[in-house]
Amino acid sequence: MIEKSKNRTKLESAVLTAIHELGGCNDSKKDQSTICPRGVLTGKVLRDWESQLHEKGPDGSTQLAKETYAEHAGSEKHKPTSLQGIAIRAKASKHHRFRNLYKYMNAEALMDAWRKLNKNASSGVDKVTAQDYEKELQSNILNLAERLKTKRYRTKLVRRCYIPKDNGKLRPLGIPALEDKLVQLACAKVLTSIYEEDFLDSSYAYRPKEAVAELTFKLQYGIYGYVVEADIKGFFDNMDHDWLMKMLALRIDDRAFLNLIQKWLKAGILDTDGKVIDPDMGTPQGGIVSPILANVYLHYALDLWFEHVVKRHCDGRATMIRYADDFVCAFQYKSDAEKFYRVLPKRLEKFHLEVAPEKTQIIRFSRFHLSMKRTFIFLGFEIYWFPDHDGKERVMRRTARKKLQRACREIKDWIKKARHTEGRQFIVGLNRRLRGHYNYYGLRGNLASLERFYDWATNCTYKWLNRRGVNANLLRGMR
């Protein structure tokens, strides 16, 4: 818990020394207090805490500020806090600490979360499916809301499973129980309402197409000549719980709400061999609340540092685009890129993170150095400079080779497995998979990769349907 002194808290001291430390970026002889003034970000937050927490009473004395609700700040008749009201308050006051968020974990919020929950997702350790839960939906929701209200809610073990990665390794996923998913979804909506107003423009949360499009635009029309491609090694497994709770406390002053998040962080993990793992760091990759927590963590650990410290020490222009734990930084000058490449591991180490060396590199990236060898991969796209049909240099993007090969392999396996399905049902399933691929990779300039994938799917379909003895006219409309 946060222990308050007269003008400062333990959390304030911790944040002041780490959130805005240079991490080795300062090569000049300037005093650190001059380079990183307290008011860059954290000082403003903490000074505003004091103004929020202490107000003048009728007699002029200082007293604790009365609790206000997001929609009706200071009104006598308190009304329930809404997500829209939280977002408005978060946007109006960047340093406001929200209270009574736990009250939002009620039956109405849980029912709304149920409507948006993926009913086809895998079940957790209790093996309760959405269809089973829906049979007594009303009573189940009311019972869950009552347990939350009376603090009798307990998280269940997280079921671990593994999925293959492109490099041949396995990626661990955590699948919470159904009721945990419901509460996490309701909690994630509250957190999103607060932090969407705080996240910088460089953070694209979980919007990959927007991130790739914005990066392409900046590289095309900016004056950047060097790119630092970076990836954080095992990010979701190495998030520090103490740091995360301190970061959340900068915006949330609700012990019950923070304890709820901490329960999910500390929840045991049931591995495939039957062993139960008690995590002391990290958050399950696959949990509904994990993405927003990951973005909050990197918002303070990386985004603000780059925006308020790194840019100030660059001789030229610098920009960053981040999507979850994948980010790309572009610099005008090589010296700035090398300096950032050198201090980045030191910065991440303060938050118990490390870069993946095999995925981190400096690339000469300029319209004056056209080459297919000068490419980097971001969110499944290869990005490179190349002349267009008119001979003009442009930043091009295409589906990364490994991603395209994997997509072709997966759709081929599905076609082989589903070839005995009834004709119309087979075509519906095939079109669904094609549309999913197009929706992600369907960006301007990537037509050749999309056509290659389509031709592969069509040829595989003809091959495997003909092998089962079906007339090829079944797919007459596909060509």
Side-chain angles (χ1 to χ4, degrees), residues 198-239:
D198 291 353
F199 291 151
L200 305 182
D201 293 339
S202 59
S203 173
Y204 282 82
Y206 280 77
R207 301 183 291 270
K209 290 185 71 171
E210 294 182 22
V212 174
E214 180 65 16
L215 176 62
T216 305
F217 181 85
K218 287 187 174 183
L219 294 176
Q220 175 72 48
Y221 298 103
I223 54 174
Y224 306 107
Y226 296 87
V227 165
V228 177
E229 177 191 11
D231 182 64
I232 300 176
K233 184 178 180 180
F235 170 65
F236 283 90
D237 297 329
N238 294 297
M239 287 172 53

Side-chain angles (χ1 to χ4, degrees), residues 31-43:
D31 182 69
Q32 182 170 334
S33 60
T34 304
I35 299 171
C36 281
R38 187 170 183 265
V40 169
L41 172 78
T42 310

